[in-house]
Amino acid sequence: MVLKMAELLIEDLHVEIEGKKILKGINLRFPQGEVHAIMGPNATGKSTLAYTLMGHPRYNVLRGDILFDGKSILPLSPDRRANVGIFLAFQNPVAIPGVTVANFIRTAINSHRKAQDSSAKGIPIPQFRKLMLEKMELLQIDSSMGGRYLNDGFSGGEKKRVEILQMAMLQPRMAILDETDSGLDIDALRIIAEGIEVLKSPNLGILIITHYQRILNYLKPDVVHIMVDGQIVESGSSDLASKLEQEGYDWVKGENGRRQI
Ligand code: ADP
Ligand code: MG
């Protein structure tokens, strides 16, 4: 069987929150199998884009569309978006004391299975354990992590590691990773970069959203987009990141329209 390649297409997307217009006409195409990065200064709407892609109810789409596999996902609830294979790692993941990492992930997998087939049974525990141990080994995560309460007292790096583990276990087709812009140390960046390298596959599209160019020292995305004031002002190869490192964002600000490198 030949599986159709998925693609996430964002067309002329305008989004407001609480009456304030944040995204002002975003056009982007993310094919499965590629790694893209969106970079930009703080408060330009990067997280707004991530939440809008996941269907957060506070973000109001004024115009435009988001298509996945050629179909609009705008009518879908966040749950249904997850079930068609879109995964969002939050910028600030919440702690859930009382729920272990393993239980959280197993519940999510079972909910996906149910969505695909309402008569599906939950993943058998031995199969789940085997899969989880495999992925933990692949991502060099200590197996004791599975028994800890989700994000409860986790360091920044541990939170990121567990996000990557969730991604590995849920096997989404499109993953959106909204990074913490501050407080991520070099180790946390390296963990994300290594995890992404390990999980890269023709069946997975990855969109990394970040304020920092540092992660791109560890990872070469296929395409880098620069967002300023709710618009994509540049798209190009990962060389764009080096330019940002040397010149900051000033050179892209105040440009009219979008230049191609
Ligand atoms: P970034 O992720 O690029 O730093 P955000 O998408 O978080 O940017 O924010 C873009 C703009 O939207 C900012 O000016 C921010 O203050 C505003 N914003 C974000 N969330 C809310 C909210 N819940 N209520 C009002 N304004 C918000
Ligand atoms: Mg943000």
Side-chain angles (χ1 to χ4, degrees):
M1 190 175 72
V2 181
L3 279 177
K4 196 169 144 266
M5 290 300 264
E7 171 177 282
L8 190 70
L9 199 61
I10 303 174
E11 293 180 339
D12 193 30
L13 190 67
H14 293 249
V15 173
E16 61 149 36
I17 179 160
E18 309 198 341
K20 188 172 160 198
K21 198 158 174 194
I22 310 291
L23 301 185
K24 303 165 183 169
I26 302 274
N27 291 288
L28 287 173
R29 190 177 145 258
F30 302 117
Q32 218 177 5
E34 291 189 5
V35 179
H36 287 214
I38 294 187
M39 309 183 69
N42 278 323
T44 52
K46 301 184 301 297
S47 293
T48 299
L49 178 64
Y51 282 116
T52 305
L53 291 174
M54 257 352 265
H56 191 294
R58 279 176 80 178
Y59 297 85
N60 187 12
V61 175
L62 299 171
R63 201 157 97 204
D65 209 345
I66 305 168
L67 305 167
F68 191 51
D69 280 345
K71 273 191 237 141
S72 176
I73 59 166
L74 289 182
L76 304 185
S77 65
D79 267 23
R80 304 224 354 248
R81 292 185 198 199
N83 288 333
V84 297
I86 304 174
F87 173 87
L88 173 65
F90 291 105
Q91 185 165 358
N92 300 302
V94 290
I96 314 186
V99 175
T100 63
V101 168
N103 268 330
F104 180 81
I105 295 177
R106 196 158 57 87
T107 306
I109 289 178
N110 287 344
S111 130
H112 280 223
R113 287 163 78 110
K114 264 258 169 315
Q116 250 103 59
D117 169 8
S118 58
S119 64
K121 298 241 180 343
I123 181 170
I125 305 260
Q127 190 189 334
F128 174 79
R129 280 191 54 126
K130 186 167 172 281
L131 185 69
M132 179 120 151
L133 288 173
E134 260 171 42
K135 299 293 185 194
M136 284 177 140
E137 198 181 326
L138 186 70
L139 296 169
Q140 298 176 16
I141 296 175
D142 194 277
S143 61
S144 66
M145 203 70 166
R148 287 180 60 187
Y149 292 149
L150 187 67
N151 292 324
D152 194 17
F154 282 18
S155 70
E158 285 171 336
K159 284 181 187 169
K160 292 291 150 192
R161 241 179 236 273
V162 166
E163 277 174 2
I164 301 289
L165 176 65
Q166 287 174 44
M167 180 170 120
M169 294 290 288
L170 289 170
Q171 300 180 318
R173 294 188 296 157
M174 199 59 70
I176 303 154
L177 308 173
D178 191 6
E179 299 315 334
T180 316
D181 288 334
S182 56
L184 263 199
D185 58 16
I186 292 292
D187 278 350
L189 285 177
R190 193 175 40 78
I191 289 160
I192 298 165
E194 284 173 2
I196 289 168
E197 279 300 332
V198 164
L199 298 178
K200 241 177 159 175
S201 104
N203 301 321
L204 173 66
I206 301 177
L207 175 57
I208 304 161
I209 298 180
T210 182
H211 168 79
Y212 284 129
Q213 49 270 33
R214 281 188 311 179
I215 189 166
L216 307 181
N217 296 336
Y218 301 90
L219 188 82
K220 292 269 168 277
D222 299 297
V223 185
V224 174
H225 308 276
I226 300 179
M227 187 191 279
V228 177
D229 193 21
Q231 290 183 312
I232 302 294
V233 295
E234 292 270 357
S235 294
S237 69
S238 55
D239 295 346
L240 258 185
S242 337
K243 188 161 181 182
L244 284 179
E245 183 139 37
Q246 284 155 21
E247 304 177 29
Y249 286 108
D250 284 346
W251 63 281
V252 286
K253 285 184 186 166
E255 288 280 339
N256 286 325
R258 173 173 175 164
R259 289 184 293 149
Q260 293 288 339
I261 284 197

